[in-house]
Amino acid sequence: MAVARAASLTAFALLAPLLGIAEPDDRPPCVRTFVVMAGDVDSAHARAGDSFPIKTVDPARAPNGTMIPAGTMGFGVVAISQHAERGGRGGYVVIETRFLALPGEHVPVTIDWTTEARASATGASRNIPGFVGAIPFVGYVLGPYGFIHHGKDVTIARDTRIPVLIGDDVVAGACRIVPPTPAPSPSALPSPSPSPAGSPSASPIPSARPITG
């Protein structure tokens, strides 16, 4: 009986991908929270390996049960930084969060790249649109300009909110990343029902009176 059951499970595991059936994932969901940049990271000045401060937005609980208060400070590092250069190449910067600093303990935090688009940024090229080169005699000017002019540097600014996953579980593959539930759009919210005809309306709340001497 056990042999037959094992054979059935093996056959299901082999056929599930072919049939488009996802195998159940019984790992616990990863713990997500938000941090904010506590300083700027500018591609004009940052170098790979530079550190920067972060802090938590809301209180959270790590997978091991450790409580993390709101406003807990931590650090990240600049993973990639390229300055703006000639030829219209814009600046480029990518950051990584590393840990939150609690008394006697560092709690790892990893950027949730499934929902984050603000932990990397590319500066504009400032290039002139290509169709301008079709204008007679203008091409003679665009050639030197395209070589000399710089692109734009870019900044990941202070107070930028970044979603992170708490703990080492995500790195070890011990948790599953669950997409956050999107907030309902205003059109999906129920509209207030009209008051029955003849029913008394609520009395207006009196405005606060100034305190006089």
Side-chain angles (χ1 to χ4, degrees):
M1 186 69 177
V3 175
R5 177 177 176 81
S8 299
L9 293 175
T10 302
F12 176 79
L14 294 174
L15 291 175
L18 300 176
L19 299 175
I21 302 173
E23 295 187 30
D25 189 345
D26 57 358
R27 295 176 299 169
C30 299
V31 180
R32 181 188 286 107
T33 191
F34 281 92
V35 298
V36 293
M37 300 287 292
D40 296 341
V41 173
D42 186 343
S43 65
H45 306 97
R47 296 183 178 182
D50 287 353
S51 65
F52 59 88
I54 58 176
K55 64 179 178 180
T56 57
V57 176
D58 302 307
R61 185 187 297 272
N64 63 359
T66 300
M67 286 301 302
I68 303 172
T72 298
M73 299 298 298
F75 291 92
V77 296
V78 177
I80 302 172
S81 180
Q82 296 178 351
H83 306 330
E85 294 184 355
R86 289 181 177 181
R89 193 177 86 170
Y92 180 60
V93 65
V94 180
I95 62 174
E96 297 176 352
T97 55
R98 287 297 175 86
F99 65 84
L100 301 173
L102 295 175
E105 181 181 6
H106 286 174
V107 179
V109 283
T110 306
I111 293 177
D112 181 6
W113 288 102
T114 63
T115 61
E116 175 50 38
R118 289 173 292 181
S120 63
T122 304
S125 69
R126 292 176 173 168
N127 285 338
I128 294 177
F131 69 83
V132 178
I135 301 175
F137 305 109
V138 174
Y140 293 103
V141 179
L142 292 185
Y145 172 81
F147 174 75
I148 295 173
H149 89 287
H150 282 62
K152 183 179 180 181
D153 276 299
V154 67
T155 301
I156 300 178
R158 182 187 184 96
D159 294 330
T160 298
R161 286 170 59 100
I162 298 175
V164 295
L165 305 173
I166 304 176
D168 282 330
D169 288 353
V170 62
V171 178
C175 66
R176 53 190 171 89
I177 301 177
V178 180
T181 304
S185 60
S187 59
L189 296 175
S191 57
S193 57
S195 301
S199 61
S201 59
S203 301
I205 300 175
S207 58
R209 299 176 60 185
I211 299 176
T212 60

PDB file of all heavy atoms in Angstrom, residues 55-84:
ATOM      1  N   LYS A  55      15.189  53.105   8.277  1.00  0.00           N
ATOM      2  CA  LYS A  55      14.442  52.907   9.522  1.00  0.00           C
ATOM      3  C   LYS A  55      13.062  52.358   9.196  1.00  0.00           C
ATOM      4  O   LYS A  55      12.517  52.595   8.107  1.00  0.00           O
ATOM      5  CB  LYS A  55      14.342  54.199  10.324  1.00  0.00           C
ATOM      6  CG  LYS A  55      13.560  55.314   9.666  1.00  0.00           C
ATOM      7  CD  LYS A  55      13.509  56.541  10.585  1.00  0.00           C
ATOM      8  CE  LYS A  55      12.769  57.697   9.913  1.00  0.00           C
ATOM      9  NZ  LYS A  55      12.714  58.889  10.814  1.00  0.00           N
ATOM     10  N   THR A  56      12.507  51.610  10.138  1.00  0.00           N
ATOM     11  CA  THR A  56      11.210  50.973   9.926  1.00  0.00           C
ATOM     12  C   THR A  56      10.082  51.992  10.036  1.00  0.00           C
ATOM     13  O   THR A  56      10.189  52.996  10.743  1.00  0.00           O
ATOM     14  CB  THR A  56      10.976  49.842  10.939  1.00  0.00           C
ATOM     15  OG1 THR A  56      11.090  50.377  12.268  1.00  0.00           O
ATOM     16  CG2 THR A  56      11.990  48.733  10.759  1.00  0.00           C
ATOM     17  N   VAL A  57       8.990  51.705   9.317  1.00  0.00           N
ATOM     18  CA  VAL A  57       7.824  52.590   9.334  1.00  0.00           C
ATOM     19  C   VAL A  57       6.854  52.181  10.439  1.00  0.00           C
ATOM     20  O   VAL A  57       6.365  53.008  11.201  1.00  0.00           O
ATOM     21  CB  VAL A  57       7.116  52.557   7.968  1.00  0.00           C
ATOM     22  CG1 VAL A  57       5.847  53.406   7.993  1.00  0.00           C
ATOM     23  CG2 VAL A  57       8.060  53.033   6.865  1.00  0.00           C
ATOM     24  N   ASP A  58       6.567  50.893  10.531  1.00  0.00           N
ATOM     25  CA  ASP A  58       5.606  50.365  11.500  1.00  0.00           C
ATOM     26  C   ASP A  58       6.268  49.309  12.381  1.00  0.00           C
ATOM     27  O   ASP A  58       7.287  48.721  11.991  1.00  0.00           O
ATOM     28  CB  ASP A  58       4.404  49.736  10.781  1.00  0.00           C
ATOM     29  CG  ASP A  58       3.697  50.719   9.865  1.00  0.00           C
ATOM     30  OD1 ASP A  58       3.339  51.810  10.344  1.00  0.00           O
ATOM     31  OD2 ASP A  58       3.514  50.401   8.672  1.00  0.00           O
ATOM     32  N   PRO A  59       5.686  49.016  13.552  1.00  0.00           N
ATOM     33  CA  PRO A  59       6.213  47.898  14.346  1.00  0.00           C
ATOM     34  C   PRO A  59       5.985  46.582  13.612  1.00  0.00           C
ATOM     35  O   PRO A  59       5.031  46.434  12.852  1.00  0.00           O
ATOM     36  CB  PRO A  59       5.415  47.978  15.650  1.00  0.00           C
ATOM     37  CG  PRO A  59       4.203  48.787  15.332  1.00  0.00           C
ATOM     38  CD  PRO A  59       4.576  49.712  14.220  1.00  0.00           C
ATOM     39  N   ALA A  60       6.884  45.630  13.810  1.00  0.00           N
ATOM     40  CA  ALA A  60       6.784  44.330  13.134  1.00  0.00           C
ATOM     41  C   ALA A  60       7.370  43.263  14.047  1.00  0.00           C
ATOM     42  O   ALA A  60       8.048  43.558  15.034  1.00  0.00           O
ATOM     43  CB  ALA A  60       7.520  44.365  11.797  1.00  0.00           C
ATOM     44  N   ARG A  61       7.082  42.016  13.702  1.00  0.00           N
ATOM     45  CA  ARG A  61       7.609  40.882  14.465  1.00  0.00           C
ATOM     46  C   ARG A  61       8.401  39.996  13.506  1.00  0.00           C
ATOM     47  O   ARG A  61       7.892  39.555  12.475  1.00  0.00           O
ATOM     48  CB  ARG A  61       6.475  40.072  15.108  1.00  0.00           C
ATOM     49  CG  ARG A  61       6.982  38.938  16.011  1.00  0.00           C
ATOM     50  CD  ARG A  61       5.830  38.065  16.489  1.00  0.00           C
ATOM     51  NE  ARG A  61       4.893  38.803  17.310  1.00  0.00           N
ATOM     52  CZ  ARG A  61       5.015  38.949  18.635  1.00  0.00           C
ATOM     53  NH1 ARG A  61       6.042  38.402  19.260  1.00  0.00           N
ATOM     54  NH2 ARG A  61       4.112  39.626  19.311  1.00  0.00           N
ATOM     55  N   ALA A  62       9.659  39.732  13.836  1.00  0.00           N
ATOM     56  CA  ALA A  62      10.507  38.873  13.020  1.00  0.00           C
ATOM     57  C   ALA A  62      10.028  37.420  13.113  1.00  0.00           C
ATOM     58  O   ALA A  62       9.318  37.054  14.054  1.00  0.00           O
ATOM     59  CB  ALA A  62      11.959  38.985  13.484  1.00  0.00           C
ATOM     60  N   PRO A  63      10.399  36.570  12.145  1.00  0.00           N
ATOM     61  CA  PRO A  63       9.979  35.165  12.189  1.00  0.00           C
ATOM     62  C   PRO A  63      10.365  34.445  13.473  1.00  0.00           C
ATOM     63  O   PRO A  63       9.674  33.516  13.893  1.00  0.00           O
ATOM     64  CB  PRO A  63      10.692  34.556  10.973  1.00  0.00           C
ATOM     65  CG  PRO A  63      10.873  35.691  10.032  1.00  0.00           C
ATOM     66  CD  PRO A  63      11.128  36.880  10.900  1.00  0.00           C
ATOM     67  N   ASN A  64      11.448  34.872  14.128  1.00  0.00           N
ATOM     68  CA  ASN A  64      11.843  34.215  15.389  1.00  0.00           C
ATOM     69  C   ASN A  64      11.140  34.795  16.604  1.00  0.00           C
ATOM     70  O   ASN A  64      11.447  34.443  17.741  1.00  0.00           O
ATOM     71  CB  ASN A  64      13.358  34.307  15.579  1.00  0.00           C
ATOM     72  CG  ASN A  64      13.853  35.743  15.723  1.00  0.00           C
ATOM     73  OD1 ASN A  64      13.074  36.697  15.656  1.00  0.00           O
ATOM     74  ND2 ASN A  64      15.156  35.901  15.904  1.00  0.00           N
ATOM     75  N   GLY A  65      10.188  35.714  16.382  1.00  0.00           N
ATOM     76  CA  GLY A  65       9.419  36.287  17.475  1.00  0.00           C
ATOM     77  C   GLY A  65       9.945  37.608  18.006  1.00  0.00           C
ATOM     78  O   GLY A  65       9.309  38.227  18.863  1.00  0.00           O
ATOM     79  N   THR A  66      11.089  38.062  17.523  1.00  0.00           N
ATOM     80  CA  THR A  66      11.659  39.320  17.993  1.00  0.00           C
ATOM     81  C   THR A  66      10.783  40.495  17.569  1.00  0.00           C
ATOM     82  O   THR A  66      10.424  40.614  16.396  1.00  0.00           O
ATOM     83  CB  THR A  66      13.080  39.518  17.427  1.00  0.00           C
ATOM     84  OG1 THR A  66      13.912  38.435  17.866  1.00  0.00           O
ATOM     85  CG2 THR A  66      13.674  40.833  17.896  1.00  0.00           C
ATOM     86  N   MET A  67      10.422  41.353  18.524  1.00  0.00           N
ATOM     87  CA  MET A  67       9.636  42.535  18.210  1.00  0.00           C
ATOM     88  C   MET A  67      10.547  43.643  17.687  1.00  0.00           C
ATOM     89  O   MET A  67      11.603  43.901  18.259  1.00  0.00           O
ATOM     90  CB  MET A  67       8.869  43.018  19.436  1.00  0.00           C
ATOM     91  CG  MET A  67       7.676  42.162  19.801  1.00  0.00           C
ATOM     92  SD  MET A  67       6.458  42.046  18.457  1.00  0.00           S
ATOM     93  CE  MET A  67       6.058  43.774  18.192  1.00  0.00           C
ATOM     94  N   ILE A  68      10.116  44.280  16.607  1.00  0.00           N
ATOM     95  CA  ILE A  68      10.875  45.369  15.992  1.00  0.00           C
ATOM     96  C   ILE A  68      10.026  46.626  16.083  1.00  0.00           C
ATOM     97  O   ILE A  68       9.015  46.751  15.387  1.00  0.00           O
ATOM     98  CB  ILE A  68      11.210  45.046  14.530  1.00  0.00           C
ATOM     99  CG1 ILE A  68      11.978  43.724  14.437  1.00  0.00           C
ATOM    100  CG2 ILE A  68      11.992  46.186  13.882  1.00  0.00           C
ATOM    101  CD1 ILE A  68      12.175  43.236  13.021  1.00  0.00           C
ATOM    102  N   PRO A  69      10.365  47.579  16.931  1.00  0.00           N
ATOM    103  CA  PRO A  69       9.547  48.781  17.070  1.00  0.00           C
ATOM    104  C   PRO A  69       9.602  49.654  15.822  1.00  0.00           C
ATOM    105  O   PRO A  69      10.547  49.580  15.025  1.00  0.00           O
ATOM    106  CB  PRO A  69      10.189  49.508  18.271  1.00  0.00           C
ATOM    107  CG  PRO A  69      11.063  48.493  18.935  1.00  0.00           C
ATOM    108  CD  PRO A  69      11.495  47.554  17.871  1.00  0.00           C
ATOM    109  N   ALA A  70       8.579  50.476  15.647  1.00  0.00           N
ATOM    110  CA  ALA A  70       8.605  51.476  14.584  1.00  0.00           C
ATOM    111  C   ALA A  70       9.756  52.443  14.837  1.00  0.00           C
ATOM    112  O   ALA A  70      10.062  52.780  15.980  1.00  0.00           O
ATOM    113  CB  ALA A  70       7.286  52.235  14.542  1.00  0.00           C
ATOM    114  N   GLY A  71      10.415  52.864  13.774  1.00  0.00           N
ATOM    115  CA  GLY A  71      11.540  53.771  13.906  1.00  0.00           C
ATOM    116  C   GLY A  71      12.862  53.086  14.194  1.00  0.00           C
ATOM    117  O   GLY A  71      13.863  53.766  14.442  1.00  0.00           O
ATOM    118  N   THR A  72      12.893  51.745  14.151  1.00  0.00           N
ATOM    119  CA  THR A  72      14.154  51.030  14.362  1.00  0.00           C
ATOM    120  C   THR A  72      15.114  51.331  13.217  1.00  0.00           C
ATOM    121  O   THR A  72      14.764  51.204  12.051  1.00  0.00           O
ATOM    122  CB  THR A  72      13.917  49.512  14.460  1.00  0.00           C
ATOM    123  OG1 THR A  72      13.078  49.231  15.583  1.00  0.00           O
ATOM    124  CG2 THR A  72      15.228  48.754  14.606  1.00  0.00           C
ATOM    125  N   MET A  73      16.331  51.714  13.552  1.00  0.00           N
ATOM    126  CA  MET A  73      17.326  52.063  12.546  1.00  0.00           C
ATOM    127  C   MET A  73      18.042  50.817  12.033  1.00  0.00           C
ATOM    128  O   MET A  73      18.150  49.809  12.728  1.00  0.00           O
ATOM    129  CB  MET A  73      18.347  53.054  13.109  1.00  0.00           C
ATOM    130  CG  MET A  73      17.753  54.373  13.565  1.00  0.00           C
ATOM    131  SD  MET A  73      16.963  55.312  12.226  1.00  0.00           S
ATOM    132  CE  MET A  73      18.378  55.597  11.136  1.00  0.00           C
ATOM    133  N   GLY A  74      18.527  50.914  10.816  1.00  0.00           N
ATOM    134  CA  GLY A  74      19.298  49.842  10.202  1.00  0.00           C
ATOM    135  C   GLY A  74      20.162  50.410   9.097  1.00  0.00           C
ATOM    136  O   GLY A  74      20.299  51.631   8.958  1.00  0.00           O
ATOM    137  N   PHE A  75      20.743  49.499   8.305  1.00  0.00           N
ATOM    138  CA  PHE A  75      21.662  49.948   7.261  1.00  0.00           C
ATOM    139  C   PHE A  75      21.508  49.117   5.993  1.00  0.00           C
ATOM    140  O   PHE A  75      21.066  47.971   6.019  1.00  0.00           O
ATOM    141  CB  PHE A  75      23.117  49.866   7.750  1.00  0.00           C
ATOM    142  CG  PHE A  75      23.436  50.860   8.826  1.00  0.00           C
ATOM    143  CD1 PHE A  75      23.304  50.513  10.165  1.00  0.00           C
ATOM    144  CD2 PHE A  75      23.840  52.150   8.505  1.00  0.00           C
ATOM    145  CE1 PHE A  75      23.579  51.423  11.159  1.00  0.00           C
ATOM    146  CE2 PHE A  75      24.118  53.070   9.506  1.00  0.00           C
ATOM    147  CZ  PHE A  75      23.996  52.708  10.833  1.00  0.00           C
ATOM    148  N   GLY A  76      21.884  49.740   4.898  1.00  0.00           N
ATOM    149  CA  GLY A  76      21.976  49.065   3.616  1.00  0.00           C
ATOM    150  C   GLY A  76      23.277  49.472   2.955  1.00  0.00           C
ATOM    151  O   GLY A  76      24.045  50.271   3.496  1.00  0.00           O
ATOM    152  N   VAL A  77      23.532  48.894   1.777  1.00  0.00           N
ATOM    153  CA  VAL A  77      24.736  49.233   1.027  1.00  0.00           C
ATOM    154  C   VAL A  77      24.364  49.526  -0.417  1.00  0.00           C
ATOM    155  O   VAL A  77      23.346  49.039  -0.923  1.00  0.00           O
ATOM    156  CB  VAL A  77      25.794  48.108   1.071  1.00  0.00           C
ATOM    157  CG1 VAL A  77      26.301  47.889   2.483  1.00  0.00           C
ATOM    158  CG2 VAL A  77      25.238  46.820   0.489  1.00  0.00           C
ATOM    159  N   VAL A  78      25.194  50.325  -1.063  1.00  0.00           N
ATOM    160  CA  VAL A  78      25.037  50.581  -2.498  1.00  0.00           C
ATOM    161  C   VAL A  78      25.635  49.394  -3.239  1.00  0.00           C
ATOM    162  O   VAL A  78      26.816  49.068  -3.070  1.00  0.00           O
ATOM    163  CB  VAL A  78      25.753  51.884  -2.900  1.00  0.00           C
ATOM    164  CG1 VAL A  78      25.661  52.101  -4.405  1.00  0.00           C
ATOM    165  CG2 VAL A  78      25.150  53.070  -2.150  1.00  0.00           C
ATOM    166  N   ALA A  79      24.803  48.718  -4.039  1.00  0.00           N
ATOM    167  CA  ALA A  79      25.285  47.555  -4.787  1.00  0.00           C
ATOM    168  C   ALA A  79      25.968  47.976  -6.087  1.00  0.00           C
ATOM    169  O   ALA A  79      27.039  47.470  -6.431  1.00  0.00           O
ATOM    170  CB  ALA A  79      24.129  46.613  -5.094  1.00  0.00           C
ATOM    171  N   ILE A  80      25.349  48.900  -6.818  1.00  0.00           N
ATOM    172  CA  ILE A  80      25.888  49.375  -8.095  1.00  0.00           C
ATOM    173  C   ILE A  80      25.702  50.877  -8.157  1.00  0.00           C
ATOM    174  O   ILE A  80      24.636  51.389  -7.792  1.00  0.00           O
ATOM    175  CB  ILE A  80      25.173  48.718  -9.304  1.00  0.00           C
ATOM    176  CG1 ILE A  80      25.292  47.198  -9.239  1.00  0.00           C
ATOM    177  CG2 ILE A  80      25.723  49.242 -10.620  1.00  0.00           C
ATOM    178  CD1 ILE A  80      24.452  46.485 -10.295  1.00  0.00           C
ATOM    179  N   SER A  81      26.697  51.590  -8.621  1.00  0.00           N
ATOM    180  CA  SER A  81      26.566  53.026  -8.838  1.00  0.00           C
ATOM    181  C   SER A  81      27.424  53.427 -10.024  1.00  0.00           C
ATOM    182  O   SER A  81      28.628  53.135 -10.049  1.00  0.00           O
ATOM    183  CB  SER A  81      26.987  53.812  -7.586  1.00  0.00           C
ATOM    184  OG  SER A  81      26.845  55.211  -7.810  1.00  0.00           O
ATOM    185  N   GLN A  82      26.802  54.046 -11.002  1.00  0.00           N
ATOM    186  CA  GLN A  82      27.519  54.540 -12.179  1.00  0.00           C
ATOM    187  C   GLN A  82      27.182  56.010 -12.348  1.00  0.00           C
ATOM    188  O   GLN A  82      26.009  56.384 -12.370  1.00  0.00           O
ATOM    189  CB  GLN A  82      27.129  53.756 -13.436  1.00  0.00           C
ATOM    190  CG  GLN A  82      27.512  52.282 -13.383  1.00  0.00           C
ATOM    191  CD  GLN A  82      27.065  51.517 -14.609  1.00  0.00           C
ATOM    192  OE1 GLN A  82      26.327  52.036 -15.450  1.00  0.00           O
ATOM    193  NE2 GLN A  82      27.503  50.284 -14.720  1.00  0.00           N
ATOM    194  N   HIS A  83      28.190  56.842 -12.456  1.00  0.00           N
ATOM    195  CA  HIS A  83      27.970  58.267 -12.646  1.00  0.00           C
ATOM    196  C   HIS A  83      27.487  58.542 -14.071  1.00  0.00           C
ATOM    197  O   HIS A  83      27.754  57.776 -14.996  1.00  0.00           O
ATOM    198  CB  HIS A  83      29.261  59.054 -12.390  1.00  0.00           C
ATOM    199  CG  HIS A  83      29.900  58.772 -11.054  1.00  0.00           C
ATOM    200  ND1 HIS A  83      29.165  58.405  -9.948  1.00  0.00           N
ATOM    201  CD2 HIS A  83      31.198  58.810 -10.655  1.00  0.00           C
ATOM    202  CE1 HIS A  83      29.977  58.234  -8.920  1.00  0.00           C
ATOM    203  NE2 HIS A  83      31.225  58.448  -9.328  1.00  0.00           N
ATOM    204  N   ALA A  84      26.784  59.649 -14.226  1.00  0.00           N
ATOM    205  CA  ALA A  84      26.426  60.106 -15.566  1.00  0.00           C
ATOM    206  C   ALA A  84      27.705  60.435 -16.334  1.00  0.00           C
ATOM    207  O   ALA A  84      28.674  60.944 -15.767  1.00  0.00           O
ATOM    208  CB  ALA A  84      25.524  61.333 -15.478  1.00  0.00           C
TER     209      ALA A  84
END
